[in-house]
Amino acid sequence: PARLHLDRLGLAYREGVPVLQDCCLSLAPGECVGIVGPSGSGKSSLLRLAAGIVLPTEGVLRIDGVDAVLLDRPAWREQIGWMDQHPPLLAASLAANLLVARSDAETAALWSALEFAGLKTWAEALPAQLDTVLGEGGRQLSGGQLRRLALARLVLRRPRLLLLDEPTASLDEAAEAFVIERLRHLCAP
């Protein structure tokens, strides 16, 4: 797990219009923290900072003691598991949709990840199983299935840092409970 330290962090996408100001936070390896606030309060921007997608406009962000400005950001992003409220679905096979998380994963690992995410039985029933085309021009997934696909990707990735952006938004009660239980399992030491 990664160590993050934010010291008087600020972010502005446009000069003079701050999204975040004076953010201070220290996360030790293995810690689990929820960021709450109204829509537009900067929660997603804070996650984008932690992921190295954007850099702070003021203050310091350190990842494992290294200033984010000096960090190899593409290498850092490879160590992150990101679950968005709208997980992407590629117009490609189920296998390709899983391999975006870990391109060297073997077939057995793909099936294991699908089982973890509660999608194994569904995938086994697909016409071409892992080779079934999903997305545009292929099979579409429900919101709950997309979240489960995102869970499977997280398991394959084995991230040092897990960033979740409203992972249960728009899910029914049963699907939300399933996703939360699986996330707890992922976060367990």
Side-chain angles (χ1 to χ4, degrees):
R3 176 179 303 280
L4 294 178
H5 181 75
L6 290 67
D7 186 21
R8 301 184 54 86
L9 198 76
L11 176 67
Y13 294 114
R14 290 183 307 187
E15 192 172 328
V17 185
V19 176
L20 298 169
Q21 289 182 293
D22 288 328
C23 290
C24 297
L25 176 70
S26 287
L27 294 176
E31 266 189 295
C32 182
V33 173
I35 313 275
V36 296
S39 181
S41 63
K43 299 179 303 291
S44 295
S45 293
L46 186 58
L47 293 177
R48 292 170 53 87
L49 281 163
I53 296 169
V54 296
L55 290 173
T57 51
E58 58 186 46
V60 177
L61 166 63
R62 286 188 188 86
I63 300 167
D64 292 333
V66 177
D67 190 316
V69 173
L70 304 173
L71 196 67
D72 179 348
R73 290 187 304 157
W76 169 240
R77 284 192 295 270
E78 286 298 314
Q79 299 175 56
I80 294 171
W82 182 285
M83 187 172 177
D84 199 334
Q85 58 183 309
H86 304 289
L89 181 63
L90 304 177
S93 69
L94 173 56
N97 270 278
L98 291 166
L99 290 169
V100 297
R102 187 169 204 92
S103 61
D104 63 347
E106 296 185 9
T107 301
L110 300 182
W111 283 110
S112 178
L114 288 168
E115 184 171 21
F116 173 85
L119 288 175
K120 186 176 182 204
T121 301
W122 169 80
E124 288 171 336
L126 292 173
Q129 295 188 346
L130 291 174
D131 294 324
T132 300
V133 176
L134 305 176
E136 191 176 322
R139 182 177 290 272
Q140 297 300 312
L141 275 67
S142 70
Q145 287 171 319
L146 272 172
R147 295 284 166 53
R148 289 172 187 242
L149 179 63
L151 281 171
R153 288 172 176 157
L154 289 178
V155 143
L156 285 168
R157 194 151 184 95
R158 299 188 304 250
R160 290 187 58 219
L161 178 65
L162 192 55
L163 299 174
L164 311 170
D165 191 358
E166 299 188 41
T168 61
S170 304
L171 293 180
D172 64 36
E173 195 174 309
E176 181 178 323
F178 179 83
V179 168
I180 289 171
E181 186 275 327
R182 296 284 74 193
L183 290 171
R184 279 190 181 123
H185 182 77
L186 278 174
C187 293

